[in-house]
Amino acid sequence: MDAPPIYRLPQDTLHQIFAHLPLRQLITLRSVSKLFHQTLTSPSFTHLLSLSHPLSLLALRPSLSSPSPSLLAFDPDQNQWLTFPLSFLLPHFPSPTPVASSDGLVYLWSHSTLIACNPLTRHFKPLPQLGSAWSRHGSVLVSPPNRVLVLSELAALYYSGDDNNGWVNFSSNLPAKPRSPILINDKVLALCDVGSPWRSQWKLFSCTLSTLQASQFWSRLEKHEWGDVFDILKRPRLVRGVGNRVLMIGGLRSSFSLNASCSTILILRLDLETMEWAEAGRMPGEMFRRGFADSSKFKVFGGGNRVCFSAKRVGGRLALWDYVEEAGKGEWRWIDGVPGCGDGLCRGFAFEARLTALP
């Protein structure tokens, strides 16, 4: 049987045809045939796509190891789940566990080794070796270009992307265990509970990477105009927003009493340039009552203008907040078909998928 006409086209012609397709269709086409896979993963084609927009996804962290590891991600624009096999990391890096992403790269733990990889092109690079304690207790923060920070309560490791320098180890010097730390450009931000064993008192701390390496000095971010912004939220956590903006998310207390219940989940936005807070969104009452009102714990993950919420009461579903800049407001909806998680709570991160990202 003769090959279809498209198989006889020059490679440059194929590149021009495929370059007009959305990235999500290119991902699907790679599995059609060997020719398509070779064409769509060639260096010349990925260079042609260097100016294309990334695919904004929400990736899940697997709760259990699997003999066929993969990265599961949700595409909010198409309302569908995508699976990226990670078997190309085997057998050298068994049980890879995705934990963070930046600039099109996904960072994974494999025992005590941190690996940067692009699940679309299947290129990967192991970072210099670390001790196993870091993979169990350290939070992995990543930011372009190739900045990696592993932060714990007592110490921090920084990798600038230069293998000759390796990891730089220094004291973190925080007043308490950091909660939901984030890295924005060269600025590290974290919440710390500086209250008593009987009552939490959350404060926001910040430092730059250069300051962290030189003096390990963290500054408390606070202004008189902020008032009780940290007291109105129960169990607050941080999520990286768009640009120099930070999202702080938690249950909105119905009062300032010690065991006050929450009326909903509130999203606040801090602009690091103006240092002003603003309300970005709050979960609709019906959604909160159905899934989060009686949940003592819930998980939050995402980034930019999209944040996911997970609770045990809504097994198999996630609540999604999707902020639309043009409309100036956020839309709330449910995500169905979420795979089972070990403890009923899903964890994840934002993943800007692109073919051009190389570790």
Side-chain angles (χ1 to χ4, degrees):
M1 181 181 296
D2 293 337
I6 193 172
Y7 282 73
R8 297 193 291 270
L9 293 176
Q11 188 177 65
D12 289 346
T13 304
L14 288 175
H15 287 175
Q16 294 299 324
I17 294 174
F18 288 136
H20 288 82
L21 297 178
L23 182 56
R24 58 177 55 88
Q25 293 186 15
L26 295 176
I27 296 173
T28 304
L29 284 173
R30 290 188 311 164
S31 60
V32 170
S33 68
K34 184 178 180 179
L35 172 66
F36 281 18
H37 183 272
Q38 292 176 341
T39 302
L40 298 177
T41 57
S42 65
S44 55
F45 182 69
T46 55
H47 177 72
L48 186 63
L49 293 181
S50 59
L51 298 180
S52 63
H53 294 290
L55 188 59
S56 298
L57 306 175
L58 294 163
L60 294 184
R61 296 177 57 176
S63 57
L64 300 172
S65 61
S66 169
S68 301
S70 61
L71 176 68
L72 188 65
F74 182 73
D75 182 352
D77 294 323
Q78 296 296 312
N79 198 35
Q80 65 177 359
W81 289 95
L82 302 173
T83 301
F84 301 94
L86 299 175
S87 55
F88 60 90
L89 296 171
L90 304 176
H92 303 291
F93 301 104
S95 304
T97 303
V99 292
S101 176
S102 174
D103 207 25
L105 297 179
V106 173
Y107 293 80
L108 315 93
W109 282 115
S110 176
H111 299 310
S112 59
T113 302
L114 192 60
I115 307 156
C117 83
N118 186 336
L120 278 65
T121 62
R122 303 184 180 183
H123 292 134
F124 64 92
K125 173 186 175 182
L127 276 58
Q129 190 78 16
L130 289 172
S132 58
W134 288 100
S135 62
R136 294 194 302 268
H137 306 293
S139 298
V140 178
L141 314 179
V142 290
S143 175
N146 300 319
R147 296 190 183 102
V148 183
L149 184 72
V150 185
L151 181 66
S152 70
E153 181 178 359
L154 301 176
L157 290 173
Y158 174 61
Y159 175 73
S160 63
D162 186 352
D163 290 340
N164 294 325
N165 294 331
W167 293 97
V168 179
N169 192 339
F170 44 87
S171 172
S172 61
N173 201 28
L174 278 165
K177 182 179 180 180
R179 179 176 177 82
S180 60
I182 58 175
L183 178 61
I184 299 181
N185 298 322
D186 67 337
K187 185 183 292 291
V188 189
L189 298 105
L191 290 168
C192 289
D193 185 359
V194 297
S196 67
W198 302 275
R199 190 180 187 94
S200 297
Q201 185 180 9
W202 294 98
K203 296 297 180 182
L204 181 61
F205 289 83
S206 170
C207 73
T208 62
L209 290 174
S210 57
T211 302
L212 194 60
Q213 296 177 73
S215 61
Q216 295 92 50
F217 176 76
W218 291 77
S219 59
R220 181 187 293 187
L221 297 185
E222 53 187 351
K223 292 179 65 176
H224 177 73
E225 293 81 2
W226 289 359
D228 53 10
V229 66
F230 296 106
D231 298 326
I232 64 174
L233 295 182
K234 188 174 184 179
R235 296 180 62 82
R237 68 253 15 223
L238 302 178
V239 174
R240 179 173 177 170
V242 175
N244 285 326
R245 289 182 286 184
V246 179
L247 301 178
M248 185 168 68
I249 303 167
L252 177 61
R253 292 179 178 272
S254 56
S255 71
F256 290 110
S257 62
L258 183 60
N259 296 314
S261 61
C262 295
S263 58
T264 188
I265 293 176
L266 184 66
I267 304 175
L268 299 177
R269 182 192 292 119
L270 173 64
D271 189 320
L272 293 177
E273 294 182 0
T274 63
M275 296 301 290
E276 294 181 351
W277 288 97
E279 179 177 330
R282 62 177 65 196
M283 183 176 287
E286 181 181 357
M287 176 179 281
F288 178 74
R289 289 188 295 270
R290 289 182 61 183
F292 300 89
D294 298 328
S295 299
S296 59
K297 292 183 179 180
F298 60 89
K299 296 298 179 182
V300 176
F301 64 90
N305 283 331
R306 285 169 170 161
V307 180
C308 279
F309 301 81
S310 171
K312 290 184 178 181
R313 284 191 59 192
V314 291
R317 306 178 87 189
L318 294 172
L320 173 66
W321 174 75
D322 192 348
Y323 186 82
V324 182
E325 293 281 358
E326 294 77 10
K329 64 179 182 178
E331 299 176 352
W332 294 85
R333 60 187 171 100
W334 291 103
I335 298 175
D336 295 312
V338 182
C341 298
D343 59 358
L345 295 171
C346 293
R347 301 156 178 84
F349 50 88
F351 173 35
E352 297 288 319
R354 63 184 78 200
L355 286 169
T356 54
L358 295 174

